[in-house]
Amino acid sequence: MSLAFVDYEKAFDPVETNAILGALTSQGINPQYVKLIGNIYSAATSTIQLHAEGSPFTLKRGVRQGDSMSPKLFISCLQTSFDKLQWNDKQFGLQIGNEYLNNLRFADDIVLIAKNPQELQTMVNQLYSESHRIGLKMNKAKTKTMSSNIAQAPKIEVENEELGTVQHYIYLGRMIQNNGSQEKELQRCVTMAWSKRSSYSQWEPVMTRVEAW
């Protein structure tokens, strides 16, 4: 099994507004809501200040930071891109029953799952191209690959630049090892627990005085 942990450069900033609205429409969102969201983003402007503040200009990409709707808009846009890849039809990934598990996604935290390095290379190339269509740029320095077979470690390239290969990677707060072991993850949890315990030690004298009172 070969994995690719995909990282995008400032993922929420470059995604294009037209791509977001197109994704919402293709997914059957009420046209009135799509129009409302379009109006919100069409009125978005920004300015650049150096020695003096420049003239405002219209923003045509990015989602509003801190808006609870922004992650949903991003996910909707990304979902449309993955649907166009049609990896299930190509039988990419690991077969589970009649389905194929070829990716895991939580917002912009993405893992690609392939049977072998050759299949992973194809998936990375296709995702790179499709992401570029909606304004997302893959961060080649932070995107990493992993293989369950150390002797078959994937050498994946993007635009003639080889992606880094790792033996372990922290995904959604949990360390994944290429050999399936949980030893390093357990050690990491114990270390973090003791570190947190030490940070509370400074409060022990205060707690003792409160209990005594």
Side-chain angles (χ1 to χ4, degrees), residues 21 35 59 112 153 168:
L21 300 179
K35 183 178 180 180
L59 297 177
L112 304 184
H168 54 81

Side-chain angles (χ1 to χ4, degrees), residues 2-69:
S2 298
L3 307 175
F5 300 91
V6 179
D7 184 271
Y8 287 115
E9 295 182 3
K10 300 179 180 179
F12 281 40
D13 293 335
V15 61
E16 296 182 357
T17 303
N18 287 338
I20 294 173
L21 300 179
L24 295 174
T25 300
S26 66
Q27 292 167 9
I29 302 300
N30 190 312
Q32 292 181 331
Y33 294 149
V34 177
K35 183 178 180 180
L36 177 61
I37 294 171
N39 289 338
I40 292 174
Y41 278 88
S42 66
T45 61
S46 183
T47 57
I48 297 177
Q49 181 173 341
L50 296 175
H51 299 293
E53 186 173 307
S55 301
F57 56 89
T58 303
L59 297 177
K60 296 183 179 181
R61 59 176 56 194
V63 291
R64 300 163 66 92
Q65 296 296 318
D67 190 335
S68 60
M69 183 173 60

Side-chain angles (χ1 to χ4, degrees), residues 3-201:
L3 307 175
F5 300 91
V6 179
D7 184 271
Y8 287 115
E9 295 182 3
K10 300 179 180 179
F12 281 40
D13 293 335
V15 61
E16 296 182 357
T17 303
N18 287 338
I20 294 173
L21 300 179
L24 295 174
T25 300
S26 66
Q27 292 167 9
I29 302 300
N30 190 312
Q32 292 181 331
Y33 294 149
V34 177
K35 183 178 180 180
L36 177 61
I37 294 171
N39 289 338
I40 292 174
Y41 278 88
S42 66
T45 61
S46 183
T47 57
I48 297 177
Q49 181 173 341
L50 296 175
H51 299 293
E53 186 173 307
S55 301
F57 56 89
T58 303
L59 297 177
K60 296 183 179 181
R61 59 176 56 194
V63 291
R64 300 163 66 92
Q65 296 296 318
D67 190 335
S68 60
M69 183 173 60
S70 295
K72 299 177 178 63
L73 296 178
F74 177 84
I75 292 170
S76 175
C77 191
L78 195 61
Q79 178 63 50
T80 299
S81 295
F82 271 86
D83 289 342
K84 292 179 180 179
L85 296 172
Q86 298 181 334
W87 286 343
N88 288 344
D89 296 341
K90 300 171 186 176
Q91 299 182 353
F92 285 173
L94 304 180
Q95 185 173 5
I96 302 176
N98 296 324
E99 301 290 335
Y100 286 87
L101 178 63
N102 44 52
N103 70 89
L104 299 174
R105 280 173 284 151
F106 185 85
D108 60 330
D109 293 311
I110 301 170
V111 183
L112 304 184
I113 305 171
K115 294 185 286 291
N116 52 61
Q118 294 75 26
E119 184 176 275
L120 184 63
Q121 178 68 76
T122 300
M123 294 172 68
V124 169
N125 288 343
Q126 292 179 353
L127 179 61
Y128 181 85
S129 298
E130 194 59 45
S131 299
H132 186 72
R133 295 177 188 275
I134 61 174
L136 291 176
K137 184 178 180 181
M138 192 178 293
N139 189 328
K140 290 175 283 187
K142 293 185 178 181
T143 297
K144 304 297 181 181
T145 64
M146 179 188 296
S147 176
S148 58
N149 185 348
I150 299 178
Q152 196 184 23
K155 294 183 179 180
I156 309 301
E157 294 184 352
V158 174
E159 293 187 326
N160 298 320
E161 183 175 337
E162 186 174 328
L163 301 178
T165 301
V166 296
Q167 296 183 5
H168 54 81
Y169 189 92
I170 297 178
Y171 179 68
L172 300 182
R174 184 180 181 88
M175 180 178 289
I176 300 174
Q177 292 182 244
N178 61 342
N179 59 5
S181 171
Q182 298 295 314
E183 181 179 355
K184 288 185 179 295
E185 169 63 12
L186 292 174
Q187 291 176 350
R188 193 175 72 92
C189 290
V190 170
T191 300
M192 289 191 298
W194 277 110
S195 177
K196 182 62 68 174
R197 169 66 177 79
S198 298
S199 69
Y200 286 123
S201 63

